[in-house]
Structure formats: C-alpha cells, structure tokens
Amino acid sequence: MTASADKFTRQTLLDVQPLTPNLFSLRVTRDPGFRFRSGQFARLGVTKADGSVVWRAYSMVSAPHDEYLDFFSIVVPGGEFTSELSRLGQGDTLLIDRQAFGFLTLDRFVGGRDLWLLATGTGIAPFMSILQDFEAWERFENIKLVYSVREARELAYVKEIAELEQREYLAEFAGKLQFIPVVTREQYPGALNQRITTLIENGGLEKAAGLELSPEHSRIMLCGNPEMIDETRKVLKARDLQLSLSKRPGQVAVENYW
C-alpha cells in the first residue's frame, strides 16, 4: 500500500500493551478530523530504517466517540509490517490514513433480532468497537459474542467485555450480551472446545447461546482468518443464512482485508 502525504496524518503512539509474546494492543493519538463507523478499519503506516513506509489495515478497537484510537495486532514471524510495529514504543510516530474503510458495519443489515459476532484471533477488534457503540444495543434484543482462540492466554479484552454493561450509557441494556469464549487447543473452564464451524454444525453453539440461528432473526458478523470466514460462510449458507449485499440484504457480513 502507498499513500501520498495529503492522505495521511502523523500520530503519536501513546501506549503499547503486550498480551502474549505474539499479541499486543496499541493506543495512538487521533486526528480531530478522522471519522469512522464502528467495525471499520484504518490503514496504518510504519516508517522503516531506510525511510520507506509499509502500510497495513487494522480495525479500530476503540469507539467512534473516543479521543484516541486503539488497535490489536499479532506479530507475524518475519512479517515486514508487524516486525517494525512491534519495535515501536511510547512517543514513536505512526502514519494513519485520513479515511476509514470497510463494510463490517451494522448498516449492512435490515431487521433482525439477534446479533451474532463471530471472531477468531485479532478479529475481535471491530467487535469491541461495535460493542462500545450505542447502536448495536439499541437495535438488537440479544447479542452473542463468540471469540475463538487456540490457547486461553490469547483471549483478549475479557475484562473490558465483562465491564461493558456497567458503563453508564449501556446500563439500560444490561443482560443483552452473552460472551461465549472458544479455546480449541486446550480445556479451559467456561469455554467451548471445538472450532466455530463444528459448533454450528453440531448445534453446540446454539445450545451454549440458548438461541437458534435463523434467517428471520439472526444477523451474523464474521471477522478472523480467511479460512475461518470461508468455512463459516459455507456452513451458514447451508442453513439459508446468506451474505448481505447492497442489492440483496442478507443475514451475514464479513470483513476481508488480509
């Protein structure tokens, strides 16, 4: 990715928090003119030692009303961008495009009663933004956040998820959100232990949620690795849950920026 100087701003890294040796969150300043909808992503640029800039897309974890921008990243071994990004510290500079991108937003859906957010790995990021915004809570009766990781230590934002309904502006919606963690490579108390696709096929996910996946009531968002998205879309399509398009509203929305 490339960008000319008038298309990005220079922002300051405020904080870096490691979760595991390969996962970390970062907080940066926000340009006053930067606008986005919950679920969208920004393109971040890192300047390398030789002066060249590497760009990658990252979903905002923060809410549209926050004064800062939060992102969640994995270190890709040998990855050109994340290797540079993981070396940055407080006070360093990040480039951020002036425009936000992406269609993993609630306006993709018409109607619906139940909102399902299905994430793997760093795909939790846009859902944290959506859950910190007012719209999802107001529109849907039930919100199911399904978060799948390989090891329990990779479960990010668990404390923040637990505290969402305690926020003053969301207090009236308390009881709408159910968090369903999935840990696939080890047993973990309170977590399911199979892949999301398997849990949909064998009914385990609906049983844990106490709710049926149906074309009439369910609106489903997918974010994670491309394999998970492709496989889950196929499983959902077999249940007559279709991708939502501009000319044909459906029940499923995905984000592909890998």
Side-chain angles (χ1 to χ4, degrees):
M1 296 180 185
T2 59
S4 58
D6 62 335
K7 291 185 178 180
F8 64 80
T9 62
R10 296 182 180 275
Q11 300 301 316
T12 303
L13 190 56
L14 299 173
D15 188 35
V16 180
Q17 291 291 334
L19 176 65
T20 72
N22 295 319
L23 291 169
F24 62 97
S25 63
L26 56 154
R27 175 168 293 180
V28 301
T29 55
R30 176 177 176 175
D31 184 82
F34 184 75
R35 298 286 183 269
F36 69 95
R37 287 180 59 86
S38 292
Q40 288 190 305
F41 63 87
R43 295 193 297 183
L44 276 58
V46 176
T47 304
K48 298 172 64 177
D50 63 5
S52 62
V53 179
V54 188
W55 294 88
R56 292 292 185 274
Y58 279 84
S59 295
M60 271 69 72
V61 173
S62 44
H65 56 256
D66 287 331
E67 296 180 357
Y68 47 79
L69 295 175
D70 285 340
F71 301 97
F72 184 37
S73 181
I74 185 171
V75 178
V76 179
E80 184 179 29
F81 184 85
T82 56
S83 295
E84 296 287 342
L85 184 62
S86 63
R87 282 196 283 267
L88 296 182
Q90 187 174 349
D92 286 334
T93 297
L94 270 177
L95 310 181
I96 300 181
D97 260 358
R98 292 183 184 275
Q99 180 182 350
F101 303 89
F103 300 99
L104 193 67
T105 53
L106 291 177
D107 56 5
R108 291 285 296 276
F109 298 131
V110 174
R113 183 194 67 192
D114 311 320
L115 178 63
W116 296 76
L117 307 173
L118 310 185
T120 58
T122 55
I124 189 72
F127 298 152
M128 290 305 299
S129 182
I130 287 170
L131 289 172
Q132 293 180 84
D133 204 3
F134 189 76
E135 183 181 359
W137 300 83
E138 187 176 43
R139 277 188 59 181
F140 296 94
E141 292 183 22
N142 303 292
I143 303 173
K144 306 295 182 180
L145 174 60
V146 183
Y147 183 20
S148 178
V149 297
R150 292 169 300 179
E151 300 175 1
R153 64 176 184 167
E154 297 172 338
L155 286 169
Y157 301 106
V158 173
K159 181 174 181 290
E160 289 82 356
I161 293 167
E163 294 174 349
L164 278 167
E165 293 180 329
Q166 298 173 24
R167 299 189 182 192
E168 184 176 349
Y169 68 100
L170 298 178
E172 64 181 292
F173 305 113
K176 283 193 174 187
L177 174 66
Q178 181 185 6
F179 176 45
I180 304 174
V182 179
V183 180
T184 59
R185 293 191 180 178
E186 62 182 5
Q187 296 292 330
Y188 185 70
L192 301 178
N193 188 237
Q194 296 171 303
R195 298 172 66 190
I196 288 176
T197 47
T198 303
L199 290 167
I200 295 173
E201 290 178 315
N202 65 20
L205 183 59
E206 290 162 294
K207 182 178 179 181
L211 200 64
E212 181 185 4
L213 284 164
S214 73
E216 179 184 2
H217 296 304
S218 304
R219 299 297 179 265
I220 306 161
M221 290 182 152
L222 309 177
C223 193
N225 69 72
E227 182 181 350
M228 181 280 280
I229 290 177
D230 290 343
E231 291 183 3
T232 305
R233 277 186 59 188
K234 291 175 184 176
V235 172
L236 292 173
K237 187 175 182 180
R239 300 278 297 269
D240 200 27
L241 293 154
Q242 306 287 341
L243 189 65
S244 187
L245 306 172
S246 56
K247 296 181 180 179
R248 189 201 68 198
Q251 299 83 25
V252 181
V254 305
E255 188 59 87
N256 289 307
Y257 56 77
W258 267 257

